[in-house]
Amino acid sequence: MKEDAYWIKDTVKAHTKWFEASLPMIASENLMSPLAKEMMISDFHDRYAEGLPGKRYYRGNIYVDEVELKCLELAKKIFKCQFADVRPISGTVANMAVLFALTQPGDTISTPELASGAHISTAPFGAVGMRGLETIHYPWDYKNWNLDVDAAIKFIKKEKPKVAQFGLSVFLFPTPIREIQDALQEAGSVVWYDAAHVLGLIAGGKFQDPLREGVHIISASTHKTFPGPNHGILIGDNLTDELQAKLQKAAFPGVTSSHHLHAMAALAVTMAEYEIYGKQYASQVIKNAKALGSALYEMGLDVMCPHLGFTESHTLAVNVAEQGGGSQVSIDLEKANIICNKNMLPGDTSSVKPSGIRLGTQELTRVGMEESEMEEVARLIYRVVMKKEDQEKVKKDVWELKKDFTKIRYCLNEGEEAYSFHDIF
Ligand SMILES: *Cc1c(COP(=O)(O)O)cnc(C)c1O
């Protein structure tokens, strides 16, 4: 019905206004550039392409092929690699492609555990388990939020996993791949790194350089620290022709049919922009996360890993068990327009009532906030979490701070509205 159609539009508009007035701190979200957004509502959205550029199954892909070849060229350039496939339509779908390409049901895969910050797609009940794989978990150093290197070396040599998978959703510190590389080689494991969260930091040269440290294949989302469309990517270096062909077959027809051409074009635009702005953006994201971590810690919040400077990425993990737990605290923060998620911390057994929250600085950085604003953000969080102040009152001050940070930065057309709704009708 007409009323329903317009009601939906109004509701989405209301959401957009809400986020403009908020501090969005979900570590997996970001804002697209105006040029990338244009691609999302282009005619590319209405089309199909199957296969690789120049070898499509459908006609009508003359321009699509040109854009996809440019997208692949840019991916190889910014990730310094020989292989890229931009067809997976999300990070999870990219992971499924890797699983199809590298594994058979019954194979053994090593992964970090969920309570260590891993993603559900690599959990025994996620895509990895559904592929029928035997999952084993690395020995973990909970204090340092990372692999226990010595124990992991012994573990890899003993278990010889067919695939060794790394990467986290609460990704505070680089994974010491270089330190365990000899063991991985000795075990003959294919090394797979899920960079969903940290792709933008890697592209900006700031977190770690997995392909130079012993990783064979990277899968990722392109919309977390990398500020592109909701989409996925596979990249690799020094892969055999056989492995490249397997990955390409897994991407299509394994896990996609058409690959969301509008998002592929938006990804290409974001990569072109990232060549110009990526280094500066990634560097400020990390500076902001460190600044927010120390400000919160000084105000008495139990931010994880103070002895390591809290984080080397965009993410902070905060233990709020004593303030009501991650679930309640994230609800309270939302009432003050501070948007984050509850998160499991080491030792937690319940993902429904975990003791932590996770905070990310990538979106606040994208709208121009710097270290001094992180102090103010910390103060607002403190008032809700520690002082239990009236959330409506804090919400007003959230808007006072945010209203000067509603324009997009680190992209072409800097200064345009970051939270615009493209009202056409
Ligand atoms: C977010 C995430 C994914 C999934 O990405 P989607 O694009 O949402 O499908 C995969 N792996 C990790 C580590 C993630 O954090």
Side-chain angles (χ1 to χ4, degrees):
M1 269 185 348
K2 186 176 161 193
E3 289 74 22
D4 283 345
Y6 279 99
W7 177 86
I8 292 162
K9 173 178 164 165
D10 288 345
T11 306
V12 174
K13 265 178 114 166
H15 161 92
T16 313
K17 278 267 159 236
W18 180 35
F19 267 68
E20 182 172 40
S22 299
L23 296 172
M25 301 189 75
I26 304 263
S28 53
E29 297 179 349
N30 215 318
L31 295 163
M32 262 188 298
S33 74
L35 263 185
K37 266 188 169 178
E38 282 183 345
M39 300 304 109
M40 295 301 275
I41 50 171
S42 69
D43 188 75
F44 268 30
H45 171 269
D46 303 324
R47 306 301 153 203
Y48 252 74
E50 289 186 335
L52 287 164
K55 293 183 215 153
R56 306 290 195 192
Y57 290 83
Y58 296 166
R59 308 312 320 163
N61 290 152
I62 294 171
Y63 295 98
V64 171
D65 282 7
E66 285 180 16
V67 172
E68 189 161 327
L69 287 172
K70 177 60 80 177
C71 189
L72 291 167
E73 180 194 316
L74 288 164
K76 290 172 190 172
K77 204 160 143 201
I78 71 175
F79 295 108
K80 303 188 217 66
C81 63
Q82 293 160 337
F83 173 80
D85 195 314
V86 292
R87 293 175 298 174
I89 56 170
S90 81
T92 300
V93 171
N95 286 356
M96 286 162 59
V98 175
L99 290 168
F100 275 27
L102 298 185
T103 67
Q104 295 294 330
D107 286 346
T108 302
I109 185 169
S110 52
T111 72
E113 213 170 350
L114 217 52
S116 309
H119 186 252
I120 40 171
S121 62
T122 56
F125 58 83
V128 159
M130 287 187 180
R131 179 69 175 143
L133 303 183
E134 178 80 28
T135 316
I136 52 174
H137 299 304
Y138 303 110
W140 207 255
D141 176 351
Y142 292 106
K143 186 163 176 283
N144 292 324
W145 207 282
N146 220 326
L147 292 177
D148 177 337
V149 171
D150 293 337
I153 288 173
K154 289 197 192 103
F155 169 88
I156 290 160
K157 285 185 179 174
K158 176 161 169 278
E159 301 289 344
K160 298 190 175 29
K162 181 166 177 192
V163 177
Q165 193 270 346
F166 301 95
L168 300 167
S169 296
V170 188
F171 212 163
L172 305 183
F173 304 105
T175 302
I177 306 276
R178 209 189 288 283
E179 288 82 338
I180 59 171
Q181 194 193 359
D182 290 347
L184 290 165
Q185 260 177 17
E186 193 184 311
S189 308
V190 183
V191 186
W192 164 26
Y193 183 102
D194 179 342
H197 265 268
V198 292
L199 190 71
L201 307 181
I202 290 171
K206 299 298 174 197
F207 190 64
Q208 67 185 126
D209 193 0
L211 294 177
R212 257 53 63 185
E213 296 167 17
V215 166
H216 300 117
I217 299 163
I218 294 179
S219 61
S221 311
T222 57
H223 48 266
K224 296 185 181 181
T225 52
F226 192 80
N230 249 286
H231 202 71
I233 191 169
L234 295 171
I235 48 186
D237 212 20
N238 300 313
L239 302 179
T240 61
D241 289 347
E242 191 197 345
L243 189 49
Q244 290 191 32
K246 275 188 179 171
L247 286 164
Q248 286 177 328
K249 264 171 88 175
F252 170 85
V255 295
T256 66
S257 165
S258 190
H259 49 283
H260 297 188
L261 311 176
H262 54 309
M264 182 276 290
L267 174 59
V269 164
T270 313
M271 287 182 182
E273 293 179 307
Y274 216 74
E275 268 196 288
I276 313 168
Y277 301 95
K279 272 201 169 62
Q280 212 193 343
Y281 172 65
S283 152
Q284 191 61 47
V285 166
I286 298 169
K287 281 190 214 161
N288 283 355
K290 286 172 173 289
L292 181 65
S294 53
L296 288 169
Y297 188 73
E298 276 165 29
M299 293 172 192
L301 279 94
D302 188 7
V303 187
M304 300 283 97
C305 301
H307 63 296
L308 298 172
F310 308 104
T311 186
E312 287 297 328
S313 74
H314 60 306
T315 305
L316 295 168
V318 187
N319 188 335
V320 290
E322 285 182 19
Q323 286 76 38
S327 182
Q328 188 56 50
V329 165
S330 62
I331 291 170
D332 292 346
L333 285 167
E334 187 188 54
K335 288 182 189 151
N337 279 5
I338 301 169
I339 318 287
C340 72
N341 60 281
K342 62 182 175 185
N343 216 101
M344 288 175 87
L345 297 179
D348 280 349
T349 49
S350 164
S351 57
V352 186
K353 283 198 169 299
S355 48
I357 54 168
R358 184 184 68 167
L359 301 169
T361 55
Q362 70 294 337
E363 182 167 340
L364 299 184
T365 308
R366 187 92 166 134
V367 291
M369 289 196 185
E370 296 187 351
E371 288 94 321
S372 57
E373 283 79 34
M374 292 301 112
E375 286 273 340
E376 294 184 52
V377 171
R379 172 75 45 196
L380 294 161
I381 293 173
Y382 163 82
R383 285 169 56 192
V384 175
V385 179
M386 305 297 278
K387 286 279 152 199
K388 306 286 180 199
E389 232 181 86
D390 176 33
Q391 292 120 4
E392 284 298 320
K393 229 173 104 193
V394 181
K395 189 199 261 186
K396 290 204 180 75
D397 294 335
V398 163
W399 175 234
E400 271 307 305
L401 171 63
K402 184 69 186 301
K403 70 178 173 29
D404 295 330
F405 297 92
T406 61
K407 307 271 198 288
I408 194 97
R409 303 284 167 203
Y410 304 99
C411 59
L412 299 173
N413 309 296
E414 272 190 307
E416 289 292 320
E417 291 299 330
Y419 299 88
S420 55
F421 181 95
H422 296 275
D423 222 332
I424 302 169
F425 295 107

